[in-house]
Amino acid sequence: MQPARRLYRRESEENRRSALIAATQELVAEGGPEAATVRAIAERAGVTPGLIRHYFTSKDELNRAAYRTLMDGMTAKGADAIEGVGASPEERLAAFIAASLRPPVLDAGAVVLWAGYMHKVRSDADLLAVHEAGYLAYRDTLQRPIETLPRDTSPGQTRREAVACNALIDGLWVEGSLLPAAFAPGEVVTIGLGSIGAILGIDLLAQSAKLPDFGRTQT
């Protein structure tokens, strides 16, 4: 019985940490980092302010955890999509791009939350480190299928291509999330596949029929 009690306690603590992170994200998305005070976070999460210190050494640490969770979540969605398709690098790359440009990654709340932290990265070195780690994790995940495409490349080419493709995805993610009515169903994904295919010199749109839920609405 003792191991079961320890497991229950661990799950409870993980749930409370997740609740605090979720409350912080909601408040930052609603009013910026300044809105995420300790009192407001505790009230939103349904806990006492003192309990926050049990899980996080400071509000800044909680903010970094909230931002890391956002960034890691978007990368994880793309990585999961890669594992859910066939073995060809073209199909895996197309799956990653599509997952990055449709819900739940394509989401106005996520963009607003991301933007809420942007002005702080220049003054908070620790938050900047979280941003850099999240960016590199996403870019590296994107670069791996690019590296395995059947074509000749020069030294450093796949890294530069991953940087360019990442920037294109970022732009479509922002506009597709904030202005969903400006795009037809599935159009953001189609534009992403076509444009990144043009950068890499391959036909990624040919992979669209193999992708789960291709063409579903942006909302």
Side-chain angles (χ1 to χ4, degrees):
M1 297 297 294
Q2 186 65 23
R5 286 198 294 271
R6 287 200 297 268
L7 177 61
Y8 175 81
R9 181 173 181 272
R10 182 166 61 249
E11 289 178 342
S12 177
E13 289 189 349
E14 290 172 355
N15 288 339
R16 285 177 177 172
R17 279 181 61 90
S18 296
L20 291 170
I21 288 172
T24 303
Q25 290 179 329
E26 290 172 6
L27 289 164
V28 172
E30 292 168 8
E34 295 77 13
T37 64
V38 170
R39 184 175 297 277
I41 294 168
E43 183 177 349
R44 182 68 61 95
V47 302
T48 62
L51 188 63
I52 295 177
R53 186 57 66 95
H54 176 72
Y55 297 101
F56 301 94
T57 59
S58 66
K59 190 184 77 169
D60 287 339
E61 184 189 3
L62 176 52
N63 264 309
R64 290 191 290 271
Y67 187 49
R68 184 183 300 109
T69 299
L70 170 68
M71 300 283 282
D72 290 351
M74 292 190 288
T75 301
K77 289 292 189 298
D80 289 345
I82 288 176
E83 296 307 314
V85 296
S88 80
E90 295 91 345
E91 186 177 349
R92 293 166 73 83
L93 178 58
F96 182 87
I97 295 165
S100 298
L101 294 175
R102 64 186 183 197
V105 177
L106 200 73
D107 176 70
V111 172
V112 172
L113 175 60
W114 170 79
Y117 282 114
M118 282 301 94
H119 78 284
K120 287 185 66 68
V121 298
R122 296 181 62 185
S123 59
D124 185 334
D126 291 328
L127 190 62
L128 178 60
V130 171
H131 176 78
E132 181 180 23
Y135 166 76
L136 291 176
Y138 183 91
R139 196 191 74 195
D140 289 348
T141 306
L142 171 62
Q143 186 174 340
R144 281 192 283 273
I146 293 176
E147 290 176 337
T148 57
L149 291 170
R151 62 201 178 112
D152 295 327
T153 58
S154 59
Q157 178 180 333
T158 58
R159 175 190 171 277
R160 294 190 296 272
E161 289 172 335
V163 170
C165 294
N166 183 46
L168 191 148
I169 291 171
D170 278 351
L172 287 173
W173 173 66
V174 170
E175 300 305 337
S177 294
L178 296 179
L179 300 172
F183 301 94
E187 186 179 10
V188 173
V189 174
T190 300
I191 293 172
L193 292 174
S195 300
I196 290 175
I199 291 173
L200 302 175
I202 60 174
D203 184 7
L204 286 178
L205 284 171
Q207 305 298 319
S208 60
K210 304 175 184 178
L211 302 179
D213 301 322
F214 179 76
R216 70 184 181 181
T217 59
Q218 306 301 328
T219 57

PDB file of all heavy atoms in Angstrom, residues 123-156:
ATOM      1  N   SER A 123      15.187  41.785 -21.060  1.00  0.00           N
ATOM      2  CA  SER A 123      15.596  42.229 -19.717  1.00  0.00           C
ATOM      3  C   SER A 123      15.735  41.085 -18.727  1.00  0.00           C
ATOM      4  O   SER A 123      16.203  41.299 -17.606  1.00  0.00           O
ATOM      5  CB  SER A 123      14.575  43.239 -19.179  1.00  0.00           C
ATOM      6  OG  SER A 123      13.278  42.673 -19.123  1.00  0.00           O
ATOM      7  N   ASP A 124      15.329  39.885 -19.114  1.00  0.00           N
ATOM      8  CA  ASP A 124      15.385  38.729 -18.222  1.00  0.00           C
ATOM      9  C   ASP A 124      16.238  37.656 -18.897  1.00  0.00           C
ATOM     10  O   ASP A 124      15.777  36.946 -19.791  1.00  0.00           O
ATOM     11  CB  ASP A 124      13.967  38.220 -17.957  1.00  0.00           C
ATOM     12  CG  ASP A 124      13.925  37.088 -16.930  1.00  0.00           C
ATOM     13  OD1 ASP A 124      14.928  36.363 -16.781  1.00  0.00           O
ATOM     14  OD2 ASP A 124      12.868  36.911 -16.287  1.00  0.00           O
ATOM     15  N   ALA A 125      17.481  37.535 -18.455  1.00  0.00           N
ATOM     16  CA  ALA A 125      18.411  36.606 -19.099  1.00  0.00           C
ATOM     17  C   ALA A 125      17.944  35.158 -18.963  1.00  0.00           C
ATOM     18  O   ALA A 125      18.126  34.354 -19.882  1.00  0.00           O
ATOM     19  CB  ALA A 125      19.803  36.763 -18.492  1.00  0.00           C
ATOM     20  N   ASP A 126      17.325  34.833 -17.851  1.00  0.00           N
ATOM     21  CA  ASP A 126      16.848  33.462 -17.663  1.00  0.00           C
ATOM     22  C   ASP A 126      15.684  33.149 -18.596  1.00  0.00           C
ATOM     23  O   ASP A 126      15.586  32.045 -19.144  1.00  0.00           O
ATOM     24  CB  ASP A 126      16.421  33.238 -16.209  1.00  0.00           C
ATOM     25  CG  ASP A 126      17.605  33.239 -15.259  1.00  0.00           C
ATOM     26  OD1 ASP A 126      18.699  32.814 -15.673  1.00  0.00           O
ATOM     27  OD2 ASP A 126      17.441  33.671 -14.102  1.00  0.00           O
ATOM     28  N   LEU A 127      14.799  34.117 -18.784  1.00  0.00           N
ATOM     29  CA  LEU A 127      13.688  33.921 -19.710  1.00  0.00           C
ATOM     30  C   LEU A 127      14.200  33.841 -21.141  1.00  0.00           C
ATOM     31  O   LEU A 127      13.691  33.055 -21.954  1.00  0.00           O
ATOM     32  CB  LEU A 127      12.671  35.047 -19.575  1.00  0.00           C
ATOM     33  CG  LEU A 127      11.336  34.847 -20.307  1.00  0.00           C
ATOM     34  CD1 LEU A 127      10.600  33.633 -19.767  1.00  0.00           C
ATOM     35  CD2 LEU A 127      10.470  36.093 -20.201  1.00  0.00           C
ATOM     36  N   LEU A 128      15.212  34.620 -21.455  1.00  0.00           N
ATOM     37  CA  LEU A 128      15.825  34.547 -22.783  1.00  0.00           C
ATOM     38  C   LEU A 128      16.423  33.161 -23.016  1.00  0.00           C
ATOM     39  O   LEU A 128      16.320  32.613 -24.121  1.00  0.00           O
ATOM     40  CB  LEU A 128      16.912  35.615 -22.924  1.00  0.00           C
ATOM     41  CG  LEU A 128      17.681  35.634 -24.252  1.00  0.00           C
ATOM     42  CD1 LEU A 128      16.737  35.884 -25.426  1.00  0.00           C
ATOM     43  CD2 LEU A 128      18.779  36.688 -24.216  1.00  0.00           C
ATOM     44  N   ALA A 129      17.013  32.587 -21.983  1.00  0.00           N
ATOM     45  CA  ALA A 129      17.571  31.245 -22.109  1.00  0.00           C
ATOM     46  C   ALA A 129      16.476  30.215 -22.371  1.00  0.00           C
ATOM     47  O   ALA A 129      16.664  29.268 -23.152  1.00  0.00           O
ATOM     48  CB  ALA A 129      18.342  30.878 -20.844  1.00  0.00           C
ATOM     49  N   VAL A 130      15.320  30.387 -21.740  1.00  0.00           N
ATOM     50  CA  VAL A 130      14.182  29.505 -21.998  1.00  0.00           C
ATOM     51  C   VAL A 130      13.729  29.650 -23.446  1.00  0.00           C
ATOM     52  O   VAL A 130      13.449  28.664 -24.133  1.00  0.00           O
ATOM     53  CB  VAL A 130      13.020  29.817 -21.036  1.00  0.00           C
ATOM     54  CG1 VAL A 130      11.758  29.050 -21.441  1.00  0.00           C
ATOM     55  CG2 VAL A 130      13.399  29.477 -19.602  1.00  0.00           C
ATOM     56  N   HIS A 131      13.678  30.895 -23.912  1.00  0.00           N
ATOM     57  CA  HIS A 131      13.276  31.145 -25.301  1.00  0.00           C
ATOM     58  C   HIS A 131      14.248  30.495 -26.283  1.00  0.00           C
ATOM     59  O   HIS A 131      13.834  29.845 -27.248  1.00  0.00           O
ATOM     60  CB  HIS A 131      13.205  32.651 -25.546  1.00  0.00           C
ATOM     61  CG  HIS A 131      12.886  33.009 -26.957  1.00  0.00           C
ATOM     62  ND1 HIS A 131      11.610  32.944 -27.474  1.00  0.00           N
ATOM     63  CD2 HIS A 131      13.680  33.419 -27.984  1.00  0.00           C
ATOM     64  CE1 HIS A 131      11.626  33.296 -28.754  1.00  0.00           C
ATOM     65  NE2 HIS A 131      12.870  33.594 -29.083  1.00  0.00           N
ATOM     66  N   GLU A 132      15.527  30.671 -26.025  1.00  0.00           N
ATOM     67  CA  GLU A 132      16.533  30.096 -26.920  1.00  0.00           C
ATOM     68  C   GLU A 132      16.440  28.572 -26.940  1.00  0.00           C
ATOM     69  O   GLU A 132      16.497  27.951 -28.020  1.00  0.00           O
ATOM     70  CB  GLU A 132      17.936  30.522 -26.484  1.00  0.00           C
ATOM     71  CG  GLU A 132      19.034  29.983 -27.395  1.00  0.00           C
ATOM     72  CD  GLU A 132      20.418  30.407 -26.945  1.00  0.00           C
ATOM     73  OE1 GLU A 132      20.594  30.718 -25.749  1.00  0.00           O
ATOM     74  OE2 GLU A 132      21.328  30.437 -27.802  1.00  0.00           O
ATOM     75  N   ALA A 133      16.288  27.962 -25.778  1.00  0.00           N
ATOM     76  CA  ALA A 133      16.196  26.507 -25.713  1.00  0.00           C
ATOM     77  C   ALA A 133      14.963  26.008 -26.458  1.00  0.00           C
ATOM     78  O   ALA A 133      15.017  24.997 -27.175  1.00  0.00           O
ATOM     79  CB  ALA A 133      16.165  26.047 -24.258  1.00  0.00           C
ATOM     80  N   GLY A 134      13.845  26.720 -26.302  1.00  0.00           N
ATOM     81  CA  GLY A 134      12.631  26.323 -26.995  1.00  0.00           C
ATOM     82  C   GLY A 134      12.746  26.473 -28.499  1.00  0.00           C
ATOM     83  O   GLY A 134      12.305  25.602 -29.257  1.00  0.00           O
ATOM     84  N   TYR A 135      13.364  27.578 -28.920  1.00  0.00           N
ATOM     85  CA  TYR A 135      13.574  27.800 -30.352  1.00  0.00           C
ATOM     86  C   TYR A 135      14.463  26.727 -30.956  1.00  0.00           C
ATOM     87  O   TYR A 135      14.152  26.161 -32.020  1.00  0.00           O
ATOM     88  CB  TYR A 135      14.191  29.180 -30.564  1.00  0.00           C
ATOM     89  CG  TYR A 135      14.753  29.385 -31.956  1.00  0.00           C
ATOM     90  CD1 TYR A 135      13.904  29.614 -33.032  1.00  0.00           C
ATOM     91  CD2 TYR A 135      16.127  29.328 -32.187  1.00  0.00           C
ATOM     92  CE1 TYR A 135      14.416  29.792 -34.316  1.00  0.00           C
ATOM     93  CE2 TYR A 135      16.641  29.500 -33.459  1.00  0.00           C
ATOM     94  CZ  TYR A 135      15.784  29.736 -34.519  1.00  0.00           C
ATOM     95  OH  TYR A 135      16.290  29.898 -35.787  1.00  0.00           O
ATOM     96  N   LEU A 136      15.560  26.424 -30.294  1.00  0.00           N
ATOM     97  CA  LEU A 136      16.498  25.429 -30.820  1.00  0.00           C
ATOM     98  C   LEU A 136      15.877  24.034 -30.847  1.00  0.00           C
ATOM     99  O   LEU A 136      16.122  23.261 -31.779  1.00  0.00           O
ATOM    100  CB  LEU A 136      17.781  25.434 -29.995  1.00  0.00           C
ATOM    101  CG  LEU A 136      18.647  26.689 -30.132  1.00  0.00           C
ATOM    102  CD1 LEU A 136      19.840  26.622 -29.183  1.00  0.00           C
ATOM    103  CD2 LEU A 136      19.128  26.877 -31.569  1.00  0.00           C
ATOM    104  N   ALA A 137      15.084  23.710 -29.831  1.00  0.00           N
ATOM    105  CA  ALA A 137      14.445  22.395 -29.805  1.00  0.00           C
ATOM    106  C   ALA A 137      13.490  22.249 -30.984  1.00  0.00           C
ATOM    107  O   ALA A 137      13.455  21.203 -31.652  1.00  0.00           O
ATOM    108  CB  ALA A 137      13.705  22.195 -28.486  1.00  0.00           C
ATOM    109  N   TYR A 138      12.723  23.300 -31.259  1.00  0.00           N
ATOM    110  CA  TYR A 138      11.787  23.249 -32.385  1.00  0.00           C
ATOM    111  C   TYR A 138      12.553  23.198 -33.703  1.00  0.00           C
ATOM    112  O   TYR A 138      12.253  22.374 -34.573  1.00  0.00           O
ATOM    113  CB  TYR A 138      10.874  24.477 -32.360  1.00  0.00           C
ATOM    114  CG  TYR A 138       9.840  24.473 -33.450  1.00  0.00           C
ATOM    115  CD1 TYR A 138       8.586  23.913 -33.235  1.00  0.00           C
ATOM    116  CD2 TYR A 138      10.116  25.014 -34.703  1.00  0.00           C
ATOM    117  CE1 TYR A 138       7.636  23.895 -34.246  1.00  0.00           C
ATOM    118  CE2 TYR A 138       9.175  24.988 -35.717  1.00  0.00           C
ATOM    119  CZ  TYR A 138       7.931  24.437 -35.475  1.00  0.00           C
ATOM    120  OH  TYR A 138       6.999  24.403 -36.487  1.00  0.00           O
ATOM    121  N   ARG A 139      13.551  24.061 -33.839  1.00  0.00           N
ATOM    122  CA  ARG A 139      14.302  24.096 -35.097  1.00  0.00           C
ATOM    123  C   ARG A 139      15.042  22.796 -35.352  1.00  0.00           C
ATOM    124  O   ARG A 139      15.087  22.310 -36.485  1.00  0.00           O
ATOM    125  CB  ARG A 139      15.297  25.264 -35.075  1.00  0.00           C
ATOM    126  CG  ARG A 139      15.845  25.623 -36.454  1.00  0.00           C
ATOM    127  CD  ARG A 139      17.000  26.575 -36.332  1.00  0.00           C
ATOM    128  NE  ARG A 139      18.197  25.887 -35.843  1.00  0.00           N
ATOM    129  CZ  ARG A 139      19.269  26.519 -35.360  1.00  0.00           C
ATOM    130  NH1 ARG A 139      19.286  27.829 -35.278  1.00  0.00           N
ATOM    131  NH2 ARG A 139      20.318  25.826 -34.948  1.00  0.00           N
ATOM    132  N   ASP A 140      15.601  22.204 -34.314  1.00  0.00           N
ATOM    133  CA  ASP A 140      16.310  20.937 -34.484  1.00  0.00           C
ATOM    134  C   ASP A 140      15.354  19.822 -34.902  1.00  0.00           C
ATOM    135  O   ASP A 140      15.706  18.960 -35.719  1.00  0.00           O
ATOM    136  CB  ASP A 140      17.028  20.550 -33.195  1.00  0.00           C
ATOM    137  CG  ASP A 140      18.230  21.440 -32.903  1.00  0.00           C
ATOM    138  OD1 ASP A 140      18.640  22.201 -33.800  1.00  0.00           O
ATOM    139  OD2 ASP A 140      18.742  21.373 -31.765  1.00  0.00           O
ATOM    140  N   THR A 141      14.148  19.827 -34.319  1.00  0.00           N
ATOM    141  CA  THR A 141      13.154  18.823 -34.692  1.00  0.00           C
ATOM    142  C   THR A 141      12.744  18.992 -36.148  1.00  0.00           C
ATOM    143  O   THR A 141      12.531  18.007 -36.869  1.00  0.00           O
ATOM    144  CB  THR A 141      11.924  18.917 -33.776  1.00  0.00           C
ATOM    145  OG1 THR A 141      12.328  18.825 -32.403  1.00  0.00           O
ATOM    146  CG2 THR A 141      10.935  17.796 -34.063  1.00  0.00           C
ATOM    147  N   LEU A 142      12.653  20.233 -36.594  1.00  0.00           N
ATOM    148  CA  LEU A 142      12.344  20.524 -37.995  1.00  0.00           C
ATOM    149  C   LEU A 142      13.502  20.152 -38.909  1.00  0.00           C
ATOM    150  O   LEU A 142      13.297  19.641 -40.026  1.00  0.00           O
ATOM    151  CB  LEU A 142      12.024  22.020 -38.131  1.00  0.00           C
ATOM    152  CG  LEU A 142      11.864  22.615 -39.527  1.00  0.00           C
ATOM    153  CD1 LEU A 142      10.696  21.968 -40.264  1.00  0.00           C
ATOM    154  CD2 LEU A 142      11.662  24.125 -39.431  1.00  0.00           C
ATOM    155  N   GLN A 143      14.723  20.365 -38.444  1.00  0.00           N
ATOM    156  CA  GLN A 143      15.894  20.131 -39.285  1.00  0.00           C
ATOM    157  C   GLN A 143      16.147  18.655 -39.543  1.00  0.00           C
ATOM    158  O   GLN A 143      16.664  18.290 -40.609  1.00  0.00           O
ATOM    159  CB  GLN A 143      17.129  20.766 -38.647  1.00  0.00           C
ATOM    160  CG  GLN A 143      18.391  20.696 -39.514  1.00  0.00           C
ATOM    161  CD  GLN A 143      19.550  21.461 -38.910  1.00  0.00           C
ATOM    162  OE1 GLN A 143      19.351  22.338 -38.069  1.00  0.00           O
ATOM    163  NE2 GLN A 143      20.753  21.130 -39.315  1.00  0.00           N
ATOM    164  N   ARG A 144      15.782  17.797 -38.599  1.00  0.00           N
ATOM    165  CA  ARG A 144      16.107  16.374 -38.755  1.00  0.00           C
ATOM    166  C   ARG A 144      15.515  15.759 -40.015  1.00  0.00           C
ATOM    167  O   ARG A 144      16.235  15.095 -40.777  1.00  0.00           O
ATOM    168  CB  ARG A 144      15.704  15.604 -37.492  1.00  0.00           C
ATOM    169  CG  ARG A 144      16.720  15.780 -36.361  1.00  0.00           C
ATOM    170  CD  ARG A 144      16.471  14.803 -35.242  1.00  0.00           C
ATOM    171  NE  ARG A 144      15.351  15.182 -34.405  1.00  0.00           N
ATOM    172  CZ  ARG A 144      15.439  15.994 -33.356  1.00  0.00           C
ATOM    173  NH1 ARG A 144      16.604  16.533 -33.025  1.00  0.00           N
ATOM    174  NH2 ARG A 144      14.374  16.279 -32.638  1.00  0.00           N
ATOM    175  N   PRO A 145      14.218  15.931 -40.305  1.00  0.00           N
ATOM    176  CA  PRO A 145      13.733  15.371 -41.571  1.00  0.00           C
ATOM    177  C   PRO A 145      14.288  16.087 -42.791  1.00  0.00           C
ATOM    178  O   PRO A 145      14.423  15.480 -43.861  1.00  0.00           O
ATOM    179  CB  PRO A 145      12.209  15.516 -41.471  1.00  0.00           C
ATOM    180  CG  PRO A 145      11.976  16.574 -40.448  1.00  0.00           C
ATOM    181  CD  PRO A 145      13.115  16.463 -39.487  1.00  0.00           C
ATOM    182  N   ILE A 146      14.634  17.356 -42.673  1.00  0.00           N
ATOM    183  CA  ILE A 146      15.255  18.068 -43.785  1.00  0.00           C
ATOM    184  C   ILE A 146      16.595  17.432 -44.124  1.00  0.00           C
ATOM    185  O   ILE A 146      16.951  17.269 -45.299  1.00  0.00           O
ATOM    186  CB  ILE A 146      15.430  19.568 -43.446  1.00  0.00           C
ATOM    187  CG1 ILE A 146      14.067  20.252 -43.319  1.00  0.00           C
ATOM    188  CG2 ILE A 146      16.280  20.276 -44.508  1.00  0.00           C
ATOM    189  CD1 ILE A 146      14.137  21.713 -42.897  1.00  0.00           C
ATOM    190  N   GLU A 147      17.343  17.051 -43.099  1.00  0.00           N
ATOM    191  CA  GLU A 147      18.665  16.451 -43.311  1.00  0.00           C
ATOM    192  C   GLU A 147      18.595  15.112 -44.034  1.00  0.00           C
ATOM    193  O   GLU A 147      19.560  14.717 -44.703  1.00  0.00           O
ATOM    194  CB  GLU A 147      19.372  16.268 -41.973  1.00  0.00           C
ATOM    195  CG  GLU A 147      19.814  17.567 -41.328  1.00  0.00           C
ATOM    196  CD  GLU A 147      20.421  17.358 -39.952  1.00  0.00           C
ATOM    197  OE1 GLU A 147      20.105  16.316 -39.327  1.00  0.00           O
ATOM    198  OE2 GLU A 147      21.200  18.211 -39.502  1.00  0.00           O
ATOM    199  N   THR A 148      17.489  14.422 -43.899  1.00  0.00           N
ATOM    200  CA  THR A 148      17.388  13.085 -44.490  1.00  0.00           C
ATOM    201  C   THR A 148      16.698  13.085 -45.850  1.00  0.00           C
ATOM    202  O   THR A 148      16.475  12.004 -46.422  1.00  0.00           O
ATOM    203  CB  THR A 148      16.637  12.134 -43.535  1.00  0.00           C
ATOM    204  OG1 THR A 148      15.339  12.682 -43.243  1.00  0.00           O
ATOM    205  CG2 THR A 148      17.411  11.959 -42.238  1.00  0.00           C
ATOM    206  N   LEU A 149      16.355  14.250 -46.372  1.00  0.00           N
ATOM    207  CA  LEU A 149      15.758  14.306 -47.708  1.00  0.00           C
ATOM    208  C   LEU A 149      16.761  13.789 -48.747  1.00  0.00           C
ATOM    209  O   LEU A 149      17.963  14.069 -48.647  1.00  0.00           O
ATOM    210  CB  LEU A 149      15.355  15.747 -48.057  1.00  0.00           C
ATOM    211  CG  LEU A 149      14.185  16.329 -47.258  1.00  0.00           C
ATOM    212  CD1 LEU A 149      14.059  17.828 -47.526  1.00  0.00           C
ATOM    213  CD2 LEU A 149      12.876  15.622 -47.595  1.00  0.00           C
ATOM    214  N   PRO A 150      16.296  13.065 -49.741  1.00  0.00           N
ATOM    215  CA  PRO A 150      17.206  12.487 -50.745  1.00  0.00           C
ATOM    216  C   PRO A 150      17.682  13.519 -51.760  1.00  0.00           C
ATOM    217  O   PRO A 150      17.155  13.633 -52.867  1.00  0.00           O
ATOM    218  CB  PRO A 150      16.341  11.404 -51.405  1.00  0.00           C
ATOM    219  CG  PRO A 150      14.939  11.913 -51.267  1.00  0.00           C
ATOM    220  CD  PRO A 150      14.894  12.639 -49.952  1.00  0.00           C
ATOM    221  N   ARG A 151      18.687  14.287 -51.414  1.00  0.00           N
ATOM    222  CA  ARG A 151      19.234  15.314 -52.292  1.00  0.00           C
ATOM    223  C   ARG A 151      20.629  15.661 -51.825  1.00  0.00           C
ATOM    224  O   ARG A 151      21.021  15.357 -50.696  1.00  0.00           O
ATOM    225  CB  ARG A 151      18.351  16.566 -52.304  1.00  0.00           C
ATOM    226  CG  ARG A 151      18.254  17.198 -50.948  1.00  0.00           C
ATOM    227  CD  ARG A 151      17.070  18.104 -50.736  1.00  0.00           C
ATOM    228  NE  ARG A 151      17.118  18.594 -49.365  1.00  0.00           N
ATOM    229  CZ  ARG A 151      17.342  19.852 -49.019  1.00  0.00           C
ATOM    230  NH1 ARG A 151      17.483  20.788 -49.948  1.00  0.00           N
ATOM    231  NH2 ARG A 151      17.397  20.208 -47.758  1.00  0.00           N
ATOM    232  N   ASP A 152      21.372  16.316 -52.678  1.00  0.00           N
ATOM    233  CA  ASP A 152      22.718  16.766 -52.326  1.00  0.00           C
ATOM    234  C   ASP A 152      22.638  18.109 -51.614  1.00  0.00           C
ATOM    235  O   ASP A 152      21.868  18.995 -52.010  1.00  0.00           O
ATOM    236  CB  ASP A 152      23.584  16.893 -53.581  1.00  0.00           C
ATOM    237  CG  ASP A 152      23.820  15.551 -54.252  1.00  0.00           C
ATOM    238  OD1 ASP A 152      23.894  14.546 -53.526  1.00  0.00           O
ATOM    239  OD2 ASP A 152      23.918  15.519 -55.496  1.00  0.00           O
ATOM    240  N   THR A 153      23.443  18.273 -50.578  1.00  0.00           N
ATOM    241  CA  THR A 153      23.478  19.532 -49.836  1.00  0.00           C
ATOM    242  C   THR A 153      24.920  19.927 -49.562  1.00  0.00           C
ATOM    243  O   THR A 153      25.823  19.085 -49.536  1.00  0.00           O
ATOM    244  CB  THR A 153      22.731  19.413 -48.495  1.00  0.00           C
ATOM    245  OG1 THR A 153      23.313  18.361 -47.713  1.00  0.00           O
ATOM    246  CG2 THR A 153      21.255  19.132 -48.719  1.00  0.00           C
ATOM    247  N   SER A 154      25.120  21.205 -49.333  1.00  0.00           N
ATOM    248  CA  SER A 154      26.436  21.727 -48.992  1.00  0.00           C
ATOM    249  C   SER A 154      26.545  21.873 -47.482  1.00  0.00           C
ATOM    250  O   SER A 154      25.530  21.862 -46.773  1.00  0.00           O
ATOM    251  CB  SER A 154      26.648  23.087 -49.665  1.00  0.00           C
ATOM    252  OG  SER A 154      25.654  24.004 -49.251  1.00  0.00           O
ATOM    253  N   PRO A 155      27.764  22.019 -46.944  1.00  0.00           N
ATOM    254  CA  PRO A 155      27.927  22.167 -45.495  1.00  0.00           C
ATOM    255  C   PRO A 155      27.120  23.346 -44.953  1.00  0.00           C
ATOM    256  O   PRO A 155      27.175  24.456 -45.490  1.00  0.00           O
ATOM    257  CB  PRO A 155      29.432  22.404 -45.337  1.00  0.00           C
ATOM    258  CG  PRO A 155      30.040  21.720 -46.518  1.00  0.00           C
ATOM    259  CD  PRO A 155      29.061  21.950 -47.647  1.00  0.00           C
ATOM    260  N   GLY A 156      26.372  23.107 -43.917  1.00  0.00           N
ATOM    261  CA  GLY A 156      25.581  24.157 -43.278  1.00  0.00           C
ATOM    262  C   GLY A 156      24.264  24.461 -43.965  1.00  0.00           C
ATOM    263  O   GLY A 156      23.463  25.256 -43.447  1.00  0.00           O
TER     264      GLY A 156
END
